[in-house]
Amino acid sequence: MTSQDLWVPEPVRVLSRKQELESTWTLELEQVGKRSFLPGQFNMLYVFGVGEVPISLSGDTSLTESLVHTIRAVGPVSSQLAAMQPMAAVGLRGPFGTGWPMAAAEGSDLLLIAGGLGLAPLRPAIYHVLRNRERYGRVVLLYGTRSPDDILYRDQLEEWSRLPDFDVHITVDHAGSDWQGKVGVVPTLIPTLAFDPEDTVAMVCGPEIMMRFTASALRDAGVEDEAIYLSMERNMKCALGHCGHCQFGSTFVCKDGPVLPFSKVRGLLSLKEF
Amino acid sequence: MKNIAQIVCEHPFFEGLNSEFCDLMCGCARNVRFNPGEYLFHQGEDADYLYLVRHGQVALELAVPGKAPVSFQTLHDGDVVGVSWVLPPYHWASDARAMSLTRAIALDAHCLRKKCDEDPALGYAVMKRLLPILTSRLHATQMQILDVYGAPEQPQ
Ligand SMILES: Cc1cc2nc3c(=O)[nH]c(=O)nc-3n(C[C@H](O)[C@H](O)[C@H](O)COP(=O)(O)OP(=O)(O)OC[C@H]3O[C@@H](n4cnc5c(N)ncnc54)[C@H](O)[C@@H]3O)c2cc1C
Ligand code: FES
């Protein structure tokens, strides 16, 4: 894509649509022009005549035939996107943003920590790790969500938890008595893990409050701020670092992020968007 | 086989506690086990014990009128179940149900409170261990109340 193309949504077809949760759907979009993307990047998806929103890529970066997005219907654009049927056309710009530090984390232990829908932007990193398992030390996935009914990619999580060298812990905020798993918020799992904080890279994605408590638990466990990466969400318009919509401080989430080290966003996490 | 003193003193809750204090604690301790589904205690009852989980999983639950009980926290190996024994009027604030076979040390709350009252240094050492648990549970509750994973509110 030329830089000029990045302003213009390109029409692509929906190939398939799968319901994940009550209001969350995964769309597989046709891949035009063989864009490659990095785990952690996002596309701007445009519903013609309605509007455009940033949505993370949630598929495997090694698959070049299609692009996968998991969308929760929360407002006008995301609801229309999530309702798109196969063969419908969506406008697409991207991919944009920085990815997870997959290369920099090689040789280290990995703590992948997701909350709710935050598992979607982390999933490409998980695929990458599983494909290149020998490049990383111990790998732990912590996933926290609201209730057992809100567990995203449930079948895949079960599959991953059976792998010998991939440690998966799931916890929910509340549950009925038929749930046999853990109950409690995701940061409480951190002190229970055996890991070397000096040689660990943490990648965290979820609602900001969850990321704030998680980063704090990671610091308490001895992980350096520079080794904690968060995927930030801010409302976006251009996604190109021009309009300032996603700016906080000197940081443009669309082009400097969305994945940023905690050392850079520490003081900004509690700021409201404008 | 380990004796009760070893088990109590090796539990993470008492990590770093000097042996003299540990021996005092052991005077209040006994081994207990709960089968899956068995309740350690019920909300509103007298909080007569502090449980140190050795192995197993315990769900803290709240009864919701007209609905099935809701579990808001599970506790596992090395965790402490029950902090109400330290707060007057010493009544449990929730139910606690063993989800799997659970082995624990039960410390008698009357005995514990008496020893802590008699020896402020011991009381302080116990409080220093309880406070981080209470703080972490407070933070967890804040996140749960905020329902951070719930659907965002629709604009009016
Ligand atoms: C880099 C990035 C990656 C993203 N990846 C995904 C993804 O993979 N899947 C996905 O479903 N969403 C993702 N989002 C969020 C998505 O962009 C928003 O949900 C979407 O813009 C909402 O637009 P709307 O027009 O449907 O609703 P709006 O009318 O804009 O919003 C409806 C309601 O949702 C709230 N809301 C809007 N955005 C968010 C948000 N980000 N978090 C929480 N509440 C919000 C609003 O405050 C409002 O209450 C991402 C956002 C960013 C910045
Ligand atoms: S969205 Fe325009 S500057 Fe980031």
Side-chain angles (χ1 to χ4, degrees):
Chain A
M1 259 193 161
T2 65
S3 62
Q4 196 187 359
D5 289 336
L6 288 174
W7 288 99
V8 184
E10 187 172 1
V12 297
R13 300 258 160 226
V14 175
L15 299 178
S16 70
R17 173 178 186 256
K18 179 187 174 210
Q19 183 159 23
E20 304 281 2
L21 302 172
E22 195 189 339
S23 56
T24 304
W25 301 79
T26 292
L27 297 185
E28 197 188 354
L29 304 179
E30 86 182 301
Q31 168 68 291
V32 180
K34 301 277 181 233
R35 296 172 181 82
S36 60
F37 71 94
L38 302 168
Q41 287 191 305
F42 65 94
N43 281 325
M44 295 297 289
L45 299 185
Y46 179 51
V47 181
F48 294 103
V50 182
E52 195 185 36
V53 290
I55 301 288
S56 301
L57 286 138
S58 65
D60 188 340
T61 48
S62 71
L63 303 177
T64 51
E65 298 310 308
S66 60
L67 296 168
V68 178
H69 289 281
T70 301
I71 302 152
R72 181 159 78 162
V74 296
V77 185
S78 53
S79 299
Q80 296 239 12
L81 267 177
M84 290 264 175
Q85 297 298 328
M87 294 313 288
V90 177
L92 186 148
R93 295 192 292 134
F96 294 110
T98 54
W100 298 107
M102 303 316 301
E106 285 183 11
S108 300
D109 290 349
L110 289 187
L111 283 183
L112 306 169
I113 309 178
L117 192 62
L119 188 57
L122 259 180
R123 191 166 66 162
I126 298 170
Y127 287 130
H128 178 91
V129 169
L130 293 178
R131 237 180 312 101
N132 302 283
R133 188 60 194 84
E134 70 292 347
R135 296 192 201 165
Y136 302 95
R138 187 160 175 242
V139 184
V140 181
L141 170 66
L142 305 183
Y143 179 53
T145 192
R146 197 179 188 213
S147 75
D149 289 341
D150 297 299
I151 297 176
L152 188 65
Y153 310 141
R154 184 188 277 262
D155 294 346
Q156 246 177 335
L157 284 167
E158 275 171 21
E159 210 176 287
W160 292 333
S161 65
R162 285 194 290 271
L163 297 173
D165 50 3
F166 193 65
D167 206 0
V168 179
H169 300 262
I170 301 172
T171 184
V172 297
D173 275 6
H174 50 80
S177 45
D178 50 346
W179 169 248
Q180 289 304 308
K182 293 190 166 95
V183 181
V185 297
V186 76
T188 58
L189 297 181
I190 293 167
T192 68
L193 302 173
F195 65 98
D196 175 6
E198 284 178 19
D199 193 20
T200 293
V201 173
M203 303 183 191
V204 188
C205 189
E208 260 187 42
I209 298 168
M210 168 263 172
M211 292 203 288
R212 215 162 68 204
F213 280 114
T214 301
S216 159
L218 287 166
R219 292 176 106 191
D220 289 349
V223 183
E224 297 288 332
D225 288 2
E226 290 70 26
I228 303 172
Y229 290 83
L230 312 179
S231 181
M232 302 298 296
E233 281 197 9
R234 281 292 183 272
N235 283 339
M236 290 185 186
K237 288 276 181 244
C238 70
L240 288 163
H242 285 279
C243 71
H245 223 78
C246 68
Q247 189 177 1
F248 59 172
S250 59
T251 304
F252 291 84
V253 173
C254 65
K255 78 178 170 59
D256 303 323
V259 175
L260 291 159
F262 184 53
S263 50
K264 201 159 182 180
V265 292
R266 199 171 33 211
L268 303 165
L269 265 183
S270 51
L271 288 188
K272 276 183 76 143
E273 290 184 56
F274 49 87
Chain B
M1 218 165 98
K2 287 183 180 174
N3 61 31
I4 192 141
Q6 279 171 303
I7 296 169
V8 170
C9 299
E10 285 173 11
H11 192 277
F13 182 68
F14 286 128
E15 196 186 316
L17 192 70
N18 73 39
S19 54
E20 188 196 334
F21 284 166
C22 230
D23 289 346
L24 276 171
M25 292 287 99
C26 293
C28 306
R30 68 185 173 92
N31 270 306
V32 288
R33 63 166 266 172
F34 298 93
N35 290 319
E38 204 178 327
Y39 280 81
L40 283 70
F41 50 78
H42 288 281
Q43 185 175 1
E45 290 174 356
D46 290 345
D48 282 341
Y49 293 97
L50 160 71
Y51 294 97
L52 307 178
V53 180
R54 297 177 59 202
H55 309 290
Q57 180 159 325
V58 176
L60 298 185
E61 295 177 343
L62 282 176
V64 185
K67 287 188 185 170
V70 174
S71 162
F72 59 94
Q73 187 176 28
T74 50
L75 297 158
H76 313 90
D77 301 10
D79 282 336
V80 170
V81 181
V83 287
S84 305
W85 65 274
V86 80
L87 305 163
Y90 312 123
H91 292 149
W92 295 121
S94 67
D95 297 342
R97 178 178 53 85
M99 296 172 74
S100 58
L101 174 66
T102 300
R103 294 183 192 280
I105 295 289
L107 293 162
D108 181 285
H110 299 276
C111 171
L112 206 55
R113 287 194 293 259
K114 187 166 175 283
K115 289 189 178 176
C116 289
D117 286 343
E118 283 169 1
D119 187 341
L122 171 66
Y124 181 57
V126 172
M127 285 309 137
K128 273 206 298 193
R129 286 163 171 75
L130 273 180
L131 257 186
I133 296 173
L134 289 170
T135 311
S136 132
R137 289 187 189 168
L138 179 67
H139 287 158
T141 307
Q142 285 170 340
M143 262 182 80
Q144 284 163 319
I145 290 172
L146 289 170
D147 192 18
V148 292
Y149 308 122
E153 275 179 31
Q154 295 301 317
Q156 298 298 305

